[in-house]
Amino acid sequence: MKYIFVSFFFCLCVVKAQRPLETYNIDRSKISTSGVSSGAAMATQLHVAYSSTIMGAGLIAGAPYYCAQGSSLAATGACMNSPAQIDVTELIAQANRYASNGDIDSTANLLNSRVYVFAGTLDSTVDPGVAPKVQQFYDNYGANVRMVTNIVAEHTFPTIDYGNACTVLADPYISRCSYNGAYEILNHMYPGLTRPSGSVPLTGDFYEFDQVEYFYVSPPSLSSMDDIGYVYVPSGCVSGSNVCRLHIAFHGCRQGRYLIGDEYARNTGYNEVAELNNIVILYPQAISTAVNPMGCWDWWGYTVYLYATKDGNQPLAVSRMIDRLTLGKKLHH
């Protein structure tokens, strides 16, 4: 998986309507996120930018918040391959400046937030030495961080028994590692979950939804996002009779619908954990574009200058999805 500029301009367009996201009985204090690789970078951006809403983040092969500082060279250099060059003190200072300006929520919200950090020992794409830098950033704010750095894994999303061999670096970057990454992430977000054992019947509602409506003045493609996303609603959450939780799961580069369809959304193990524990799983989708050929999430500024804030095209769109799922309306500008 590799990581890269889209100008944001006014456009009116006509698109084919997809099924809209529906609204469910979700506890707004129990919203968390996770991702792998560029998806991990997006998850930490969403967590830090919207920390009054997002109570935790699971980060697999990710980098600290604002690590690239608007530079693709920094993204592929220090943030992926030279962790000694990552100045976490400056990243903390920038987060604090953003918070002071109102570009992100108060960093005080990160106190006791739940953060899971995973780095495979064999990761050849993101140096495992980056993981302690992620921990250093969150430790500064008093987050509850769980570090997992002892799994013999390449640059991949780890599952119990689906995908490539755990030591192989290859599409679709999902691997059978005898380790349930989705469960471990979600159980750190919400301690005491029921662990899947054997085959779990997925009797809930898995559907494609329209991402277009969350972009008000330009199509999603100008922000390197797909017209379509995925969501899994557990059977216990469909009717609204139970209070459920919400988790936003970001795929990594080369893992979007445009390339592998719904494989990431169906086979990383999130849905099985969700079904047993009443957690709605939202899977936003990014796409490949001329300025982002690997279909990565924006963690170095290819969309807009304030990409890592509440004004970033991608975080803002996802926040609107969260509002639809939980409130039935859009709250943000």
Side-chain angles (χ1 to χ4, degrees):
M1 282 183 267
K2 277 265 183 200
Y3 311 96
I4 308 183
F5 236 153
V6 174
S7 60
F8 187 73
F9 60 87
F10 188 85
C11 172
L12 293 177
C13 52
V14 177
V15 295
K16 180 180 178 181
Q18 300 288 332
R19 178 178 174 180
L21 273 177
E22 298 179 16
T23 302
Y24 303 94
N25 186 3
I26 292 172
D27 183 343
R28 287 271 297 188
S29 71
K30 300 295 183 181
I31 303 174
S32 61
T33 185
S34 67
V36 57
S37 195
S38 74
M42 178 53 65
T44 196
Q45 289 175 181
L46 189 73
H47 181 210
V48 174
Y50 290 97
S51 59
S52 64
T53 300
I54 308 296
M55 47 79 70
L59 312 172
I60 295 178
Y65 176 78
Y66 201 62
C67 185
Q69 301 180 69
S71 167
S72 61
L73 293 178
T76 56
C79 299
M80 294 172 62
N81 295 304
S82 301
Q85 298 177 18
I86 299 174
D87 185 351
V88 177
T89 301
E90 173 54 29
L91 304 182
I92 291 168
Q94 182 60 62
N96 292 340
R97 286 191 291 269
Y98 276 151
S100 295
N101 294 336
D103 296 320
I104 65 174
D105 290 345
S106 171
T107 54
N109 297 320
L110 297 173
L111 178 65
N112 297 321
S113 65
R114 307 189 70 83
V115 179
Y116 168 99
V117 180
F118 177 100
T121 62
L122 299 181
D123 195 322
S124 62
T125 300
V126 177
D127 189 304
V130 176
K133 300 292 186 176
V134 178
Q135 180 180 25
Q136 182 183 347
F137 177 87
Y138 276 110
D139 279 350
N140 177 75
Y141 296 108
N144 179 344
V145 182
R146 180 188 174 195
M147 295 286 290
V148 178
T149 58
N150 63 343
I151 305 299
V152 182
E154 244 292 358
H155 189 71
T156 192
F157 190 99
T159 73
I160 293 291
D161 56 11
Y162 182 86
N164 303 317
C166 199
T167 58
V168 170
L169 180 68
D171 290 333
Y173 301 99
I174 304 170
S175 299
R176 54 186 190 278
C177 299
S178 300
Y179 185 84
N180 193 334
Y183 172 79
E184 299 298 337
I185 289 169
L186 291 171
N187 194 54
H188 186 63
M189 300 299 109
Y190 317 112
L193 296 184
T194 299
R195 182 189 292 270
S197 178
S199 178
V200 176
L202 296 178
T203 56
D205 191 6
F206 181 92
Y207 63 92
E208 296 181 348
F209 72 90
D210 175 21
Q211 292 192 156
V212 176
E213 66 173 308
Y214 304 102
F215 291 83
Y216 295 172
V217 297
S218 66
S221 60
L222 291 185
S223 297
S224 204
M225 285 186 67
D226 204 329
D227 287 355
I228 294 171
Y230 300 111
V231 64
Y232 181 72
V233 183
S235 56
C237 301
V238 171
S239 70
S241 58
N242 297 311
V243 178
C244 295
R245 294 165 281 204
L246 172 62
H247 186 80
I248 301 91
F250 292 101
H251 63 75
C253 304
R254 294 183 58 81
Q255 288 184 319
R257 185 185 77 95
Y258 78 96
L259 187 63
I260 66 169
D262 60 10
E263 187 171 6
Y264 187 89
R266 287 194 183 274
N267 295 305
T268 43
Y270 284 104
N271 300 339
E272 288 77 6
V273 183
E275 179 63 28
L276 294 175
N277 296 282
N278 287 347
I279 306 169
V280 176
I281 309 290
L282 177 70
Y283 298 97
Q285 297 293 299
I287 59 171
S288 170
T289 63
V291 298
N292 176 35
M294 305 298 283
C296 306
W297 294 99
D298 184 11
W299 64 285
W300 65 91
Y302 68 72
T303 52
V304 291
Y305 174 70
L306 293 173
Y307 65 93
T309 74
K310 293 189 289 185
D311 289 319
N313 295 7
Q314 294 174 354
L316 178 57
V318 174
S319 77
R320 290 167 175 163
M321 297 174 194
I322 292 169
D323 289 344
R324 171 63 61 80
L325 282 164
T326 61
L327 300 172
K329 58 184 178 181
K330 306 163 186 144
L331 293 184
H332 303 292
H333 65 282

